[in-house]
């Protein structure tokens, strides 16, 4: 049967147990699913979902996700030197953030703005939004999403979280 202690299993996995990664992935997908249901099906379903018997479980998902992420990040810090850890964090965050920001600003924003493209690309808010790449987060793109919140109550309520 072999040695089945937790310590032996951790040594076998080089102190990188994949179960935590799988649990974090499950929690991340759960967070996306819960938010997607609310956004796609509106306030009536949102209220039923949060007022129903699943309410305690739904309320538990986000704190679990953040706690699990913290455990995994702390494990990474423990395994690496501080410069290596910071490099790994940079390489994990900045490329995805850069791509998301560029796609949002250059493609989606340009397609969805109510402004002319000249006004959109020269607007000061556009350039502030681009600063999100370096961590100075701005969520407004000029002329984008005007009127969305008049039609979508769930988005209007979540706007407070986006700010």
């Amino acid at each position: 049967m072999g040695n089945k202690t937790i310590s032996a299993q951790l040594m076998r996995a080089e102190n990188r147990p994949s179960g935590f990664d799988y649990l974090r992935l499950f929690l991340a997908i759960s967070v996306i699913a819960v938010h997607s249901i609310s956004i796609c099906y509106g306030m009536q379903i949102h209220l039923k979902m949060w007022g129903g018997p699943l309410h305690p479980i739904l309320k538990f998902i986000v704190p679990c996700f953040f706690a699990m992420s913290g455990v995994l990040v702390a494990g990474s810090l423990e395994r690496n030197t501080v410069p290596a850890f910071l490099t790994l964090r940079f390489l994990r965050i900045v490329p995805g953030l850069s791509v998301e920001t560029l796609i949002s600003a250059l493609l989606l924003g340009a397609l969805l703005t109510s402004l002319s493209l000249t006004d959109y690309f020269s607007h000061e808010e556009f350039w502030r939004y681009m600063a999100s790449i370096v961590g100075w987060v701005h969520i407004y793109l000029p002329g984008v999403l005007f009127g969305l919140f008049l039609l979508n109550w769930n988005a209007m309520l979540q706007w407070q979280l986006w700010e």
Side-chain angles (χ1 to χ4, degrees):
M1 275 285 206
N3 193 356
K4 293 288 186 179
T5 65
I6 292 174
S7 177
Q9 293 298 328
L10 280 173
M11 286 178 63
R12 189 171 148 251
E14 298 175 0
N15 286 327
R16 288 234 16 163
S18 60
F20 285 128
D21 292 326
Y22 293 132
L23 181 57
R24 182 170 172 236
L25 180 61
F26 170 75
L27 290 169
I29 291 169
S30 298
V31 168
I32 292 169
V34 168
H35 283 76
S36 297
I37 290 168
S38 298
I39 291 169
C40 293
Y41 296 105
M43 185 54 95
Q44 192 171 16
I45 299 298
H46 174 82
L47 293 174
K48 282 183 183 178
M49 187 171 69
W50 285 96
L54 292 178
H55 172 75
I57 294 169
L58 297 174
K59 197 164 178 91
F60 195 62
I61 291 172
V62 171
C64 283
F65 172 74
F66 283 123
M68 186 59 56
S69 296
V71 167
L72 292 171
V73 169
S76 175
L77 178 58
E78 187 177 311
R79 285 188 306 276
N80 297 293
T81 63
V82 172
F85 170 78
L86 293 174
T87 301
L88 290 170
R89 295 309 304 159
F90 178 86
L91 291 173
R92 183 167 187 114
I93 294 168
V94 173
L97 179 61
S98 299
V99 169
E100 182 278 328
T101 301
L102 291 171
I103 289 172
S104 295
L106 299 176
L107 182 65
L108 295 174
L111 291 173
L112 299 173
T113 188
S114 59
L115 303 175
S116 71
L117 289 181
T118 305
D119 290 342
Y120 173 75
F121 287 116
S122 63
H123 200 283
E124 148 183 349
E125 280 297 323
F126 173 81
W127 294 105
R128 280 193 198 130
Y129 187 86
M130 295 301 280
S132 296
I133 292 174
V134 294
W136 189 30
V137 178
H138 291 276
I139 60 168
Y140 302 104
L141 281 170
V144 176
L145 298 179
F146 181 76
L148 169 70
F149 304 107
L150 299 175
L151 303 173
N152 188 340
W153 288 100
N154 188 44
M156 184 169 60
L157 292 173
Q158 290 189 8
W159 180 255
Q160 298 304 315
L161 298 175
W162 298 341
E163 281 192 42

